Amino acid sequence: MLNKYPLWKTLMVLFIVAFGALYASPNLYGEDPAVQISGLRGIETNAATLDLVKSHLDEKKISYASIVMEGGQILARFRDTEQQLRARDLLDESIGDEYSVALNLTPATPAWLASVGGTPMKLGLDLSGGVSFLMEVNMKEAIIKAQESLVDDFRTGLRGEKIRYRSVKKVDDAIAVQFRNLEDLENAETFLEKQNQNLIFVSDEANLTLSAKMTEQRLKETREYALQQNITIIRNRVNELGVAEPLVQRQGQKHIVIELPGVQDTAKAKEILNATATIEFRLVDTDGDLGAALNGRVPGSSQLLKERNGQPVLLKKRVMLTGDHIVDAGSSFDEYSRPQVNITLDSAGGSKMSNGTKNSIGKPMATVFIEYKPTDRVDSEGNTVFEKVEEVISVATIQARLGKTFRITGAGSQAEAHNLALLLRAGALIAPIQIVEERTVGPTLGAENVQLGFQAIMMGFGLVFLFMLIYYRAFGVVANLALGANLVLIIGVMSMIPGATLTLPGMAGIVLTVGMAVDANVLIFERIREEIREGKSIQQSIHQGYDAAFSTIIDANITTLIAALILFAVGTGPIKGFAVTLSIGIITSMFTAVIGTRTIVNAVWGGKRLDKLSI
Amino acid sequence: MQILQLKETVAFMRYRKVAVVFSLLLMAASVVSLATNKLNFGLDFTGGTLIEVGFEQSADLTKVRAIMDSNGFDDAVVQLYGSSRDVVIRLATREDVKAEMLGNQVLDVLQAGTGQTIDMRRIEFVGASVGDELAEQGGLAMLTALICILVYVAFRFEWRFALGSVIALFHDVLLTLGLFSVLQLEFDLTVLAAILAVIGYSLNDTIVVSDRIRENFRKIRVGTPEDVINISLTQTLSRTIITSITTLLVLAALFFKGGALIHGFATALLLGVFVGTYSSVYVASSVALALGISKEDLIPEVIEKEGADQEEMRP
């Protein structure tokens, strides 16, 4: 019998649409005001923190809807924004510096829906309000810095090998070494070539010079490293801001995108992002009297600082090494499987470290994290006053004379070692960064954009709906059902994909999809009409119509999909937002407009003897 | 309901010489306008600062301009944006003032000058270097899209169709850009996205027509290629018009309801849909015909049903 679908096929279509509807439904529930508490600098929130937060809130009689731990953070939901704001202010004061307290809007998705992974769509900044920055890493500086450290490397290397040289200099983009005789030049070339695989050496025997250039590969690695490093730094700083759901992402070769939803105080955000953080290594003053120092009698050459756990430490004022000499840091385990942090210094740093630790074997050395935090105070010129915050992040005993690479043990856990390595890397800013783009969308504009976009979708949908109904009558109803299912599926898929964000151009993409999605149905219906005109039977016409239009629909949609995917791959910002909804829309519309409508048509008209068709 | 019921084949291709001249003229005009008028590039490409503020009451633009002028922002472009209370102010990149601070400065100046509470709606600052990269990226995106489409169509159809559709796409993009240049509409990133969507739409149209031409070449054993193309265009005309109508309907909704931010996007697509519909009828088919498309090119050596490999997905 023509135009009959097996039951399983009908059920499958129904199942897919129901599935889409289920995952689209979280968008209907709206959002609860919430406060999010997350740990800073490697500190994680735990059950104890949860109890602390609860007791603070109970004490001040602030009622909450729920408090839960979620992915290492504590999330307290409130019934209204008034309670939320009160709670934020209270917690901000009482819970301490180790935590950041941020306002948040949390989806009010019912628990059963959330437990199957149902989340609402993520809204872009143009819809939610907030600020986005585009930061550019100064790659020229990064390369120059790398070359300068090579100059140092060459000097120490040659000295170590007892090869005499006249000078080592950076000339343009190469490093030139001048020698006194040919023998030294040759020895140096053999030695340096072996040491530096990714440099190109050219020797000029007439002038007794050897010059080295970075290979393309090495330059690329240096740039890549500078970018990664800066991303790490910015992530750390963004965490300090206490923003709910921030985004720090690389874009292209030298840019970093930072999105801070809901942030209104952009001046503060900028100050923190541009602030500097660094690391210092200093010896612990073991001769000084800690007890006396605590009572205010600190020796002149020492300083009293605190460890992260609040323990006071007496440190020598003299700085053994600053963080800008750190080239790399990573975490691993030592031979007793205790976590450790491995540090690599540049050669200048290496010799400083070596000199500094020569006579201090067996003594404790402290790693100090220094940060310049903006305060509420303003100086006479209207600039924010920064406060220097120093904190001891580790104290370790020097086991041997240290050189270019060494390790710090004593980190409590693997996670802590990992974070310490991160901070050490973050302390050394390899290349300056600069804000090249900034966009702030006020919260009212964001809400307005959502409303306008929604209205446009509804109006466009309504117009097409009406048109199809008038033009194709009963078959128009079928097409409209498919269109509705398509909209539900787009929203469902958008909500399911973790990386997809709805933006205003994205909404425009949905509107456009609605307009273009009916194209498949128009193609099919026009074919059916043609077949009927040619005198074929109704069932035959339906069958032929779907059949003949199929390859056209596939070809037309695949080419559009190619365009949309390319947009997604190379586009940024609004272009990407548009490409996401368009791509999803094309795929879902092929399903609803071809298979979806066929299911309905078969169920209603299939397998019957018909003389007329409402098309 | 039936919009047009054609009993006879329309001899579209009879007018193709006229259409070619018409298209060439329009394309030349676009090139001339792009060369002389240039595009009115928005902030995304030029760099600078844009501040959108909301006034409590209708904003007096003359007064706002005077305030800006007397406070050293003499290069400010002040315009209404969307409604009479929303004002957008554009400033060029400046050397002396930190661009990030500019937004707040302007807000303070306006607040003091008008005595009204002014609501900050949007501040955008784009450095000058970003624009070049974007333009490069956008151009690259368009080129990649065109090449991929060329390859796909050549593989699925025939090289003459592929060339025809890519020329049609190029034609559409050029004319849309030309119109933006003539009307001096602002060209920003959303407009670029719209132009790429025009490529998608126009292609959709062209493929549908090409598909029918190919089918008819196999089915209709008599007649010249010109006749076959005319028959195909006539058969698909009603679909072409209906799809254009539904797309124009939603774009109109976007144009009137979508808000000022999406205006440029909607305008570009509205223009693009018109141009794209025309080009799928005239440009793509004319090119394929001029390149000498014939029955032999389209009758497959192995008789195989089209889309047989997709049998599984068949409805």
Side-chain angles (χ1 to χ4, degrees), chain A residues 5 270 436-440 442 445 448 471 519 526-527 529-530 547 552 555-556 559 567 570 598, chain B residues 1 44 100 121-125 127 152 156 196 203-204 211-212 215 238-239 242-243 314-315:
Chain A
Y5 260 175
K270 265 176 284 194
V436 287
E437 193 182 297
E438 182 197 327
R439 291 168 200 266
T440 312
L445 183 61
E448 210 176 285
Y471 200 75
D519 180 53
E526 287 300 306
R527 271 290 184 154
R529 281 181 172 182
E530 262 179 63
D547 229 29
T552 315
D555 278 327
T559 38
L567 275 190
V570 290
R598 187 75 193 264
Chain B
M1 200 178 112
D44 293 330
E100 303 110 88
R121 293 168 63 83
R122 178 161 68 108
I123 298 177
E124 295 189 3
F125 149 68
Y152 180 82
R156 282 287 289 163
L196 290 154
L203 189 70
N204 218 10
D211 216 53
R212 192 54 86 96
E215 188 189 321
S238 142
R239 173 263 156 201
I242 292 163
T243 302
R314 215 163 262 270

Side-chain angles (χ1 to χ4, degrees), chain A residues 325-519:
Chain A
H325 289 291
I326 296 176
V327 184
D328 194 13
S331 63
S332 65
F333 294 99
D334 69 0
E335 50 274 42
Y336 307 107
S337 25
R338 289 175 305 194
Q340 63 174 18
V341 180
N342 309 303
I343 293 170
T344 311
L345 302 174
D346 61 10
S347 55
S351 44
K352 272 190 186 172
M353 200 65 183
S354 168
N355 288 330
T357 53
K358 193 163 54 181
N359 299 317
S360 308
I361 294 166
K363 287 186 184 165
M365 177 183 76
T367 312
V368 186
F369 181 71
I370 300 158
E371 203 183 6
Y372 294 87
K373 277 188 169 176
T375 59
D376 295 335
R377 281 169 289 136
V378 177
D379 68 7
S380 55
E381 282 170 17
N383 297 319
T384 310
V385 175
F386 282 84
E387 184 190 7
K388 187 178 181 184
V389 181
E390 290 171 293
E391 188 185 39
V392 176
I393 49 178
S394 112
V395 176
T397 308
I398 302 169
Q399 306 286 358
R401 189 174 169 181
L402 302 178
K404 241 177 102 166
T405 59
F406 62 96
R407 61 192 197 185
I408 307 177
T409 50
S413 66
Q414 192 204 347
E416 208 170 308
H418 177 77
N419 271 309
L420 183 55
L422 209 96
L423 284 176
L424 289 172
R425 285 200 301 266
L429 198 78
I430 276 223
I433 42 176
Q434 190 197 354
I435 297 177
V436 287
E437 193 182 297
E438 182 197 327
R439 291 168 200 266
T440 312
V441 176
T444 45
L445 183 61
E448 210 176 285
N449 283 341
V450 174
Q451 204 195 340
L452 289 174
F454 185 71
Q455 275 177 9
I457 290 179
M458 279 313 160
M459 193 175 146
F461 192 80
L463 287 171
V464 172
F465 203 86
L466 220 64
F467 180 84
M468 292 299 280
L469 201 65
I470 295 170
Y471 200 75
Y472 290 116
R473 285 168 298 183
F475 269 64
V477 175
V478 175
N480 287 336
L481 283 172
L483 205 57
N486 185 30
L487 200 59
V488 167
L489 282 181
I490 294 176
I491 295 171
V493 173
M494 284 290 288
S495 309
M496 260 187 276
I497 298 177
T501 307
L502 185 71
T503 59
L504 193 58
M507 282 185 147
I510 295 182
V511 176
L512 189 65
T513 312
V514 169
M516 286 171 67
V518 291
D519 180 53

